[in-house]
Amino acid sequence: MTEILIAPSILSADFAAMGEAVRNLEKWKADWVHCDVMDGEFVPNITFGMPMVEALRRNTKMFLDVHLMIVKPERYVERFVKAGADLVTFHPEASEDPHGTIAKIKAAGAKAGIVLNPDIPCEVAKEFIGEVDLIMLMGVFPGFGGQKFITEVMEKISELKEMTKGTSVLVELDGGVTLDNAPEMKRRGLDVMVAGNAVFKAEDPALAIAGLKA
Ligand code: DX5
Ligand code: ZN
């Protein structure tokens, strides 16, 4: 079995010191950098856009995992790839043409993925399996870091791993990951784990990352 990848969310980092945050993530041996883009419409919060991704790209060679929580992501995906995103994920219900949006991301040169909110069944992902590189499950309703994991989502990891068996599609989970619930996620075969508060609010973030991986 390959090692699980840890993708700390910079939503939980100090917004006035993002360069330092990504340099720390390299030092702490994180695998990816998870970037939460919110538009104040798809979710009730606003974070940052392409300029932040571009600034991060200038400060790190790490894999940038860009999670779009925006309405009509098709309007912006190419610009996020141009800014330096390695992977762009979006919520299919927010798009007027999810298949076209996936194609656009891939044509621009990045990996593409869809995201399922906690109340959206895994079935919804079926029609996308042949097109995406990754499917991300939300462990919380998106909008804010530091929320409690919705335990019912645990079963969806197994369901999605079964659905994607024999393909190269990765399964990622975002929201509510802790040192306590991480082991069960790994047992269920999760490939990528996002962690905001569990890393950035930890006393020793390097130790937290090692703990999530172990
Ligand atoms: C939720 C975001 C998540 C979140 C993760 O809206 O998409 O990436 O910041 O943070 P934690 O791990 O603290 O739940
Ligand atoms: Zn996210």
Side-chain angles (χ1 to χ4, degrees):
M1 214 177 80
T2 47
E3 208 185 40
I4 192 159
L5 302 175
I6 309 296
S9 168
I10 53 159
L11 182 60
S12 300
D14 177 0
F15 272 42
M18 279 301 181
E20 193 189 325
V22 283
R23 281 188 294 276
N24 278 336
L25 288 180
E26 286 179 30
K27 260 199 332 232
W28 299 336
K29 304 235 170 5
D31 299 288
W32 291 3
V33 180
H34 185 81
C35 309
D36 285 308
V37 176
M38 305 186 189
D39 67 353
E41 206 176 340
F42 183 71
V43 286
N45 198 5
I46 299 177
T47 54
F48 51 76
M50 292 80 77
M52 175 65 86
V53 173
E54 196 263 328
L56 293 171
R57 184 77 295 163
R58 273 189 279 109
N59 280 271
T60 184
K61 289 191 165 52
M62 284 181 86
F63 187 96
L64 298 181
D65 163 15
V66 176
H67 174 196
L68 301 182
M69 286 158 275
I70 67 176
V71 169
K72 292 194 206 148
E74 52 272 32
R75 296 173 295 170
Y76 295 104
V77 289
E78 279 138 337
R79 286 160 72 186
F80 275 102
V81 176
K82 204 158 178 229
D86 294 294
L87 162 72
V88 178
T89 62
F90 67 96
H91 294 251
E93 70 274 30
S95 173
E96 282 175 354
D97 176 17
H99 294 282
T101 304
I102 292 166
K104 258 189 183 177
I105 297 167
K106 287 164 73 171
K111 294 190 186 305
I114 54 155
V115 191
L116 303 183
N117 269 351
D119 59 348
I120 296 184
C122 293
E123 289 297 301
V124 171
K126 240 184 196 150
E127 63 176 294
F128 298 101
I129 286 179
E131 297 159 42
V132 294
D133 298 287
L134 176 148
I135 299 169
M136 188 162 83
L137 291 169
M138 290 306 303
V140 303
F141 283 93
F144 303 90
Q147 301 182 72
K148 200 176 165 297
F149 180 70
I150 298 168
T151 47
E152 286 75 22
V153 179
M154 205 54 102
E155 190 50 45
K156 288 172 80 181
I157 299 175
S158 308
E159 209 183 316
L160 206 51
K161 283 302 293 181
E162 187 57 38
M163 271 174 63
T164 56
K165 213 167 159 179
T167 74
S168 57
V169 176
L170 297 176
V171 177
E172 181 171 13
L173 186 128
D174 181 16
V177 169
T178 64
L179 281 167
D180 289 331
N181 59 24
E184 187 176 345
M185 294 176 187
K186 275 178 295 181
R187 267 200 305 279
R188 289 173 186 266
L190 188 67
D191 300 294
V192 189
M193 192 181 266
V194 176
N197 278 20
V199 169
F200 283 103
K201 307 286 185 239
E203 216 166 285
D204 184 342
L207 198 65
I209 289 173
L212 290 172
K213 274 194 191 207

